Short mmCIF file of all heavy atoms in Angstrom, two decimals:
data_model
loop_
_atom_site.label_atom_id
_atom_site.label_comp_id
_atom_site.label_asym_id
_atom_site.label_seq_id
_atom_site.Cartn_x
_atom_site.Cartn_y
_atom_site.Cartn_z
N HIS F 293 -47.27 -80.83 -74.74
CA HIS F 293 -47.29 -79.37 -74.81
C HIS F 293 -47.01 -78.74 -73.44
O HIS F 293 -46.20 -77.81 -73.34
CB HIS F 293 -48.62 -78.87 -75.35
CG HIS F 293 -48.67 -77.39 -75.50
ND1 HIS F 293 -48.30 -76.75 -76.67
CD2 HIS F 293 -49.03 -76.39 -74.64
CE1 HIS F 293 -48.41 -75.44 -76.51
NE2 HIS F 293 -48.86 -75.21 -75.29
N LEU F 294 -47.66 -79.23 -72.41
CA LEU F 294 -47.47 -78.64 -71.09
C LEU F 294 -46.07 -78.90 -70.54
O LEU F 294 -45.49 -78.05 -69.85
CB LEU F 294 -48.53 -79.17 -70.13
CG LEU F 294 -49.96 -78.69 -70.39
CD1 LEU F 294 -50.93 -79.35 -69.43
CD2 LEU F 294 -50.06 -77.17 -70.30
N ALA F 295 -45.52 -80.06 -70.86
CA ALA F 295 -44.16 -80.34 -70.41
C ALA F 295 -43.14 -79.43 -71.09
O ALA F 295 -42.16 -78.99 -70.47
CB ALA F 295 -43.81 -81.80 -70.68
N GLU F 296 -43.38 -79.13 -72.36
CA GLU F 296 -42.45 -78.30 -73.13
C GLU F 296 -42.73 -76.81 -72.96
O GLU F 296 -41.88 -75.98 -73.29
CB GLU F 296 -42.52 -78.67 -74.61
CG GLU F 296 -42.03 -80.09 -74.90
CD GLU F 296 -42.16 -80.47 -76.36
OE1 GLU F 296 -42.86 -79.74 -77.11
OE2 GLU F 296 -41.58 -81.50 -76.76
N ASN F 297 -43.91 -76.48 -72.45
CA ASN F 297 -44.30 -75.07 -72.26
C ASN F 297 -44.89 -74.90 -70.86
O ASN F 297 -46.09 -74.63 -70.71
CB ASN F 297 -45.31 -74.65 -73.33
CG ASN F 297 -44.80 -74.82 -74.74
OD1 ASN F 297 -44.12 -73.95 -75.29
ND2 ASN F 297 -45.14 -75.96 -75.34
N PRO F 298 -44.06 -75.00 -69.83
CA PRO F 298 -44.58 -74.98 -68.45
C PRO F 298 -45.24 -73.67 -68.04
O PRO F 298 -45.98 -73.64 -67.05
CB PRO F 298 -43.33 -75.27 -67.61
CG PRO F 298 -42.18 -74.89 -68.47
CD PRO F 298 -42.61 -75.21 -69.87
N SER F 299 -45.01 -72.60 -68.80
CA SER F 299 -45.63 -71.31 -68.45
C SER F 299 -47.03 -71.16 -69.02
O SER F 299 -47.75 -70.22 -68.67
CB SER F 299 -44.75 -70.15 -68.93
OG SER F 299 -44.70 -70.12 -70.34
N HIS F 300 -47.45 -72.07 -69.90
CA HIS F 300 -48.75 -71.95 -70.54
C HIS F 300 -49.87 -72.36 -69.58
O HIS F 300 -49.77 -73.37 -68.88
CB HIS F 300 -48.82 -72.81 -71.80
CG HIS F 300 -48.08 -72.22 -72.96
ND1 HIS F 300 -48.07 -72.79 -74.22
CD2 HIS F 300 -47.30 -71.10 -73.05
CE1 HIS F 300 -47.34 -72.05 -75.04
NE2 HIS F 300 -46.86 -71.02 -74.34
N PHE F 301 -50.93 -71.58 -69.58
CA PHE F 301 -52.10 -71.92 -68.76
C PHE F 301 -53.41 -71.69 -69.50
O PHE F 301 -54.48 -72.05 -69.01
CB PHE F 301 -52.09 -71.10 -67.46
CG PHE F 301 -52.22 -69.61 -67.67
CD1 PHE F 301 -53.47 -69.00 -67.66
CD2 PHE F 301 -51.10 -68.82 -67.90
CE1 PHE F 301 -53.59 -67.63 -67.86
CE2 PHE F 301 -51.22 -67.45 -68.09
CZ PHE F 301 -52.46 -66.85 -68.07
N ASP F 302 -53.36 -71.08 -70.68
CA ASP F 302 -54.55 -70.88 -71.50
C ASP F 302 -54.92 -72.22 -72.14
O ASP F 302 -54.13 -72.79 -72.89
CB ASP F 302 -54.26 -69.83 -72.59
CG ASP F 302 -55.48 -69.51 -73.44
OD1 ASP F 302 -56.44 -70.30 -73.46
OD2 ASP F 302 -55.46 -68.46 -74.11
N PRO F 303 -56.11 -72.75 -71.87
CA PRO F 303 -56.48 -74.06 -72.44
C PRO F 303 -56.36 -74.12 -73.95
O PRO F 303 -56.08 -75.19 -74.51
CB PRO F 303 -57.93 -74.24 -71.98
CG PRO F 303 -58.04 -73.44 -70.73
CD PRO F 303 -57.16 -72.24 -70.95
N ARG F 304 -56.55 -72.99 -74.63
CA ARG F 304 -56.45 -73.01 -76.09
C ARG F 304 -55.04 -73.35 -76.55
O ARG F 304 -54.85 -73.92 -77.63
CB ARG F 304 -56.88 -71.65 -76.66
CG ARG F 304 -58.35 -71.33 -76.47
CD ARG F 304 -58.68 -69.91 -76.86
NE ARG F 304 -57.99 -68.94 -75.98
CZ ARG F 304 -58.13 -67.62 -76.09
NH1 ARG F 304 -58.92 -67.11 -77.04
NH2 ARG F 304 -57.51 -66.82 -75.27
N GLN F 305 -54.06 -73.02 -75.72
CA GLN F 305 -52.68 -73.29 -76.11
C GLN F 305 -52.38 -74.78 -76.18
O GLN F 305 -51.61 -75.21 -77.03
CB GLN F 305 -51.73 -72.59 -75.12
CG GLN F 305 -51.79 -71.06 -75.20
CD GLN F 305 -50.96 -70.40 -74.10
OE1 GLN F 305 -51.11 -70.74 -72.93
NE2 GLN F 305 -50.10 -69.47 -74.48
N TYR F 306 -52.95 -75.56 -75.28
CA TYR F 306 -52.68 -77.00 -75.32
C TYR F 306 -53.79 -77.82 -75.97
O TYR F 306 -53.56 -78.94 -76.42
CB TYR F 306 -52.35 -77.55 -73.92
CG TYR F 306 -53.34 -77.24 -72.82
CD1 TYR F 306 -54.48 -78.02 -72.64
CD2 TYR F 306 -53.11 -76.19 -71.93
CE1 TYR F 306 -55.37 -77.75 -71.62
CE2 TYR F 306 -54.00 -75.92 -70.91
CZ TYR F 306 -55.13 -76.70 -70.75
OH TYR F 306 -56.02 -76.43 -69.73
N LEU F 307 -54.99 -77.26 -76.06
CA LEU F 307 -56.06 -77.99 -76.72
C LEU F 307 -55.99 -77.89 -78.24
O LEU F 307 -56.48 -78.77 -78.95
CB LEU F 307 -57.42 -77.49 -76.23
CG LEU F 307 -57.77 -77.87 -74.78
CD1 LEU F 307 -59.11 -77.28 -74.37
CD2 LEU F 307 -57.78 -79.39 -74.60
N LYS F 308 -55.35 -76.84 -78.74
CA LYS F 308 -55.18 -76.75 -80.20
C LYS F 308 -54.30 -77.87 -80.72
O LYS F 308 -54.69 -78.57 -81.68
CB LYS F 308 -54.60 -75.38 -80.58
CG LYS F 308 -54.46 -75.21 -82.10
CD LYS F 308 -53.96 -73.80 -82.45
CE LYS F 308 -53.83 -73.66 -83.96
NZ LYS F 308 -53.34 -72.30 -84.33
N PRO F 309 -53.10 -78.12 -80.16
CA PRO F 309 -52.33 -79.27 -80.64
C PRO F 309 -53.03 -80.61 -80.37
O PRO F 309 -52.85 -81.57 -81.13
CB PRO F 309 -51.00 -79.16 -79.89
CG PRO F 309 -51.26 -78.25 -78.75
CD PRO F 309 -52.33 -77.32 -79.19
N ALA F 310 -53.82 -80.66 -79.29
CA ALA F 310 -54.58 -81.88 -79.02
C ALA F 310 -55.59 -82.13 -80.14
O ALA F 310 -55.75 -83.26 -80.62
CB ALA F 310 -55.29 -81.77 -77.68
#
Side-chain angles (χ1 to χ4, degrees):
H293 183 90
L294 290 176
E296 294 177 347
N297 302 275
S299 66
H300 284 184
F301 64 92
D302 183 341
R304 293 171 296 182
Q305 293 173 309
Y306 52 83
L307 290 177
K308 183 177 180 180

